[in-house]
Amino acid sequence: MVRAARLDARLYAEVGADSGATSQAAAVVFLATVAGGISGGAQPFEIVFGGLLGVGGWCVFAYVIYWVGARMLPEPQTQTSFGAVLRAVGFSNAPGVLQLLGVVTPLRELVFFVAGLWSLVAMLTAVRQVLSYTSSWRALGVCTIPLLGRLLLYVAAVAIFSQTGEVTPGLDEPPVTTPW
């Protein structure tokens, strides 16, 4: 995890080639998600359930990156597998473990911002390496497509749940209620 957080490009190539590292990549994703849940003040069940959802989301996200990067926008030297992309993207979540420092409430937003940005740079490094890209811009384009899809799903979920009055409020917000 330390090498992943240090943005060691060789590590992403190594884990991409090591099919035995899949469970380790899943553990990194789970730990990063749990760290965010703990510092966000979630309840134990929510933390564990959120961690499991994080692992599921990682699989979908990695598949979209694989499909876009290896099938739609490959470079001539791009030869990879879904498993390689899955592992590399999983390890790129290592900086997310720093979200645990968000338990210090005044630092929470800064910690989440830094960890998110760091994870994004790690993901770009991982994608560039595992897809054998020569351009970081291409890696950014490949990562942007699933991020936009994720954002659209989030907006749709908020729109659906806000109409039913069942929006989960933020930590500092009062519950959302509707008059009907």
Side-chain angles (χ1 to χ4, degrees), residues 153-179:
L153 286 174
Y154 176 76
V155 168
V158 168
I160 290 168
F161 289 115
S162 67
Q163 290 178 359
T164 63
E166 297 178 21
V167 172
T168 303
L171 295 174
D172 299 324
E173 299 172 279
V176 176
T177 59
T178 58

Side-chain angles (χ1 to χ4, degrees), residues 104-120:
V104 180
T105 306
L107 299 177
R108 183 176 299 142
E109 290 180 20
L110 176 63
V111 167
F112 274 49
F113 176 77
V114 169
L117 189 59
W118 194 349
S119 294
L120 177 62

Side-chain angles (χ1 to χ4, degrees), residues 21-38:
T22 305
S23 59
Q24 294 170 355
V28 170
V29 173
F30 185 80
L31 289 173
T33 307
V34 165
I38 290 170

